[in-house]
Amino acid sequence: DLDVWSPVMNFTARQTFVAGYRDPDVFAWLDRFIEPGMTVFDVGANVGVYGMFMAKRVSPATCYAFEPNPVLRPFLESNKSSNGLHNLDLNFVGTGDREGAFCFETDESNLGQSHISASGGVQVSVVTLDGFVESRGIGQIGFVKMDVEGFELPTLRGFEATLRRDSDIVVLTEIEPKHMKRYGYSQSELFAFMEGLGFTAYALEGAS
């Protein structure tokens, strides 16, 4: 069991409180797939629902979590502390295909839908996952959960070297065409990019 602290206007965390987990099929699959000693990434961590679950499962290995929304930072820190998850490595940055300062727009009606913006909002730091992996000297990565509100393709482009290196890595990502459209690409372009790296797409259904 995990204690979860969250702002009120946060759909993902609210579903966790009401239903146990928002995505029961996904968590049932993760429970079977994630193993102790596996290095994992939670990209777009929100308040850490996925990250905490994975950190508990992979201990003593590390779960690296990435979340640029400054509103969620104290909740992530509190959730890590209150659950004693010393192997949950919190990184309060966004992820993309280049490093720098980006605008970040907060969705007050649902903090989970806050996103990188062309203009407006607060400035946040963005890193490439390849750069992060290299700077930390991270070895084999077993699993990546990615939910960055449409910024998945830029994030994957900034992760290309690692994806080529770790051929057995499994990437679980949100597919939401309306969010992709915000950044000018389509679902087929995302699939084509991953297939070009040798990956095959699967839909996770009925995993429980």
Side-chain angles (χ1 to χ4, degrees):
D1 292 338
L2 294 166
D3 294 324
V4 181
W5 296 92
S6 171
V8 173
M9 299 310 293
N10 190 333
F11 179 79
T12 298
R14 187 164 68 246
Q15 286 296 99
T16 301
F17 292 128
V18 172
Y21 285 109
R22 177 185 174 186
D23 307 309
D25 288 346
V26 175
F27 280 97
W29 179 81
L30 286 176
D31 194 46
R32 296 195 300 271
F33 178 76
I34 301 293
E35 299 178 347
M38 181 183 288
T39 298
V40 296
F41 279 23
D42 181 8
V43 184
N46 198 291
V47 296
V49 173
Y50 275 87
M52 290 189 293
F53 180 91
M54 293 192 294
K56 189 174 181 179
R57 292 285 293 163
V58 303
S59 181
T62 304
C63 173
Y64 296 92
F66 302 83
E67 177 52 59
N69 192 339
V71 177
L72 298 177
R73 178 169 184 160
F75 295 93
L76 264 171
E77 292 175 329
S78 178
N79 287 334
K80 172 181 176 174
S81 176
S82 63
N83 290 285
L85 296 171
H86 304 295
N87 64 322
L88 181 60
D89 187 296
L90 302 180
N91 300 276
F92 299 102
V93 295
T95 55
D97 54 1
R98 59 185 175 87
E99 297 183 354
F102 284 63
C103 291
F104 187 84
E105 184 176 328
T106 299
D107 187 330
E108 298 292 349
S109 65
N110 179 8
L111 290 170
Q113 290 191 0
S114 301
H115 56 273
I116 297 292
S117 173
S119 62
V122 299
Q123 278 204 337
V124 299
S125 295
V126 169
V127 301
T128 68
L129 291 177
D130 280 337
F132 181 86
V133 168
E134 183 177 1
S135 68
R136 293 292 193 94
I138 298 171
Q140 179 74 35
I141 302 166
F143 176 76
V144 175
K145 166 259 176 183
M146 188 175 296
D147 184 354
V148 288
E149 301 303 304
F151 215 56
E152 283 80 15
L153 184 54
T155 293
L156 288 166
R157 285 175 172 156
F159 200 32
E160 181 175 351
T162 306
L163 293 172
R164 290 186 184 278
R165 183 198 74 182
D166 295 354
S167 58
D168 293 331
I169 194 171
V170 173
V171 179
L172 174 67
T173 183
E174 179 183 60
I175 300 293
E176 180 52 75
K178 69 178 181 180
H179 293 164
M180 295 175 177
K181 186 177 180 180
R182 180 189 297 142
Y183 303 106
Y185 73 95
S186 66
Q187 177 178 317
S188 61
E189 288 176 86
L190 186 148
F191 284 174
F193 175 79
M194 293 299 287
E195 288 167 358
L197 298 177
F199 286 79
T200 301
Y202 296 92
L204 187 61
E205 298 178 351
S208 58

